[in-house]
Amino acid sequence: MRVFKLMGVQTMIMTNAAGGLNPDYRVGDVMILKDHINLPGLGGTNPLMGPNEDRFGLRFPCTSDAYDRDLRALALSVGAELGFGDLLREGVYCVQGGPNFESIAECRMLRIMGADAIGMSTVHEVLVARHCGMRCFALSLVSNMAIMDYDSVERANHDEVLETGRLRAKQLESLVSELVDRMETHNTC
Ligand SMILES: O=P(O)(O)O[C@@H]1C[C@H](O)[C@@H](CO)O1
């Protein structure tokens, strides 16, 4: 992120695959991140740990405005214009350390905590990007539904994640391309 910053990048667009926790979500939905829960961060692991690099940003950065409001609104309208507005959601992404998928009890806890989707990436990048003043937009492809039921015979697996990625690749490509075409290049932060 800091190399991008030094290269003059002002806006970061990030994508990930995530497990759906919100029962209204379906495999193949696309969730625009409006906020996150940084589980490793709450546990004391954070990419901004260590001496602060003052030339990049503040020691104690704010995260309540991590995901740019204008870009979120633009993505929703672009998705609607492209004809897949019904797939689009806005929600809270929770990051865990991985590489294992979550247990049933963990999924239930995360849902109670307010997470709509669970994954293993993106938040670290967002924290460093925001620390140095870059505008952030991120979306999650709901590649699988988290297992919440002890009677379920389903198992989270990476093959399903990859398969859903292939299924939605073209739509996500057009969404991101159109977003890039239309977004203002100036940094509003
Ligand atoms: O897009 P990311 O890397 O967050 O994708 C998720 C997390 C793991 O890399 C993988 C697990 O299936 O998908």
Side-chain angles (χ1 to χ4, degrees), residues 81-98:
E81 282 176 42
L82 291 172
F84 50 88
D86 52 332
L87 298 180
L88 292 182
R89 318 286 194 155
E90 267 200 306
V92 176
Y93 174 87
C94 179
V95 63
Q96 59 112 327

Side-chain angles (χ1 to χ4, degrees), residues 20-104:
L21 293 163
N22 184 325
D24 294 336
Y25 288 7
R26 295 290 170 260
V27 170
D29 284 353
V30 175
M31 185 187 85
I32 294 165
L33 274 67
K34 69 173 179 194
D35 202 353
H36 67 230
I37 296 171
N38 179 10
L39 279 185
L42 296 177
T45 304
N46 190 302
L48 300 174
M49 281 167 74
N52 188 54
E53 290 275 2
D54 292 334
R55 68 197 162 118
F56 286 108
L58 299 173
R59 168 73 292 186
F60 300 109
C62 171
T63 51
S64 57
D65 58 353
Y67 300 91
D68 188 83
R69 193 183 293 258
D70 295 341
L71 289 177
R72 282 160 42 201
L74 181 60
L76 284 172
S77 69
V78 165
E81 282 176 42
L82 291 172
F84 50 88
D86 52 332
L87 298 180
L88 292 182
R89 318 286 194 155
E90 267 200 306
V92 176
Y93 174 87
C94 179
V95 63
Q96 59 112 327
N100 61 284
F101 292 104
E102 306 71 39
S103 70
I104 292 173

Side-chain angles (χ1 to χ4, degrees), residues 15-19 93 95 98-99 101 118-122 139 141 143-144 157-162:
T15 65
N16 62 57
Y93 174 87
V95 63
F101 292 104
I118 174 72
M120 306 178 194
S121 67
T122 307
L139 54 81
L141 172 63
S143 55
N144 57 288
N157 68 89
H158 190 55
D159 287 342
E160 184 182 7
V161 173
L162 295 178

